[in-house]
Amino acid sequence: MSTLGAVPTDHGVEFAVWAPHAEQVWVTGTFNDWSDDAHPLTREDDVWSALVAEAKAGDEYKFVLRNGEELLHRIDPRAFEVTSSVGNGVVHDHAAFDWQGDDFQLPGHHELVIYELHVGSFHTRPDEGVGTLE
C-alpha cells in the first residue's frame, strides 16, 4: 500500500488517497494543466495511487473522484501544505527542508504565555459583571 498523500520521489510524485466508495479516481493539477482525466489512479483495496512523472514539489493538485454520475474535486486530506482550506493541495518535499542553520532561542520564562484567561468566557448571563463566576 502506498503512503497516503503526495510523496515526491526521484521519479516524480506518488499520489495516494483512501477512497473506498469511488468508482474511479484521478489526480489533477498544475503538472497536467488541471486535466480531470490525464492521470488515473489504480485501486488496491480502498487506496487509489499513481506515480506521476511530470509532478514535482511545489505543484498544486486535487483528487477527482467519480461515483456514479457525480464527479467530485477534492483537496487531499493528507496534504502537508494547502493554498487555503478550500483550495488546492501543494506537493511538499520534506527532504528539501533545511533543518540546520537555525538559531532558535527559547524565550525567557517571563516572555512565555503559559495560560491566557478570558474572564468574559465564564459569564453565563449577559447581566453578570466581570469577575462573577458561577
Side-chain angles (χ1 to χ4, degrees), residues 26 62-67 69-74:
W26 300 266
K62 278 191 173 183
F63 290 111
V64 181
L65 294 84
R66 185 175 66 79
N67 190 356
E69 296 298 314
E70 198 169 25
L71 204 60
L72 307 166
H73 292 76
R74 294 293 186 253

Side-chain angles (χ1 to χ4, degrees), residues 104-117:
F104 175 77
Q105 299 292 321
L106 184 66
H109 285 78
H110 66 283
E111 296 177 345
L112 292 175
V113 174
I114 304 299
Y115 185 77
E116 187 171 326
L117 175 67

Side-chain angles (χ1 to χ4, degrees), residues 8-9 56-58 81 91-100 102:
T9 70
K56 63 189 178 318
E81 186 177 343
V91 177
H92 182 76
D93 187 2
H94 297 286
F97 183 78
D98 177 17
W99 291 97
Q100 305 299 321
D102 294 331

Side-chain angles (χ1 to χ4, degrees), residues 20-39:
H21 302 294
E23 295 171 11
Q24 283 183 288
V25 179
W26 300 266
V27 64
T28 184
T30 53
F31 48 85
N32 65 13
D33 293 324
W34 297 100
S35 170
D36 280 352
D37 59 4
H39 291 99

Side-chain angles (χ1 to χ4, degrees), residues 2-60:
S2 300
T3 301
L4 297 177
V7 180
T9 70
D10 292 338
H11 306 289
V13 176
E14 177 79 26
F15 292 95
V17 64
W18 180 73
H21 302 294
E23 295 171 11
Q24 283 183 288
V25 179
W26 300 266
V27 64
T28 184
T30 53
F31 48 85
N32 65 13
D33 293 324
W34 297 100
S35 170
D36 280 352
D37 59 4
H39 291 99
L41 280 66
T42 58
R43 184 178 193 156
E44 182 179 326
D45 296 321
D46 290 336
V47 175
W48 297 78
S49 65
L51 176 67
V52 178
E54 301 86 353
K56 63 189 178 318
D59 280 337
E60 294 182 20

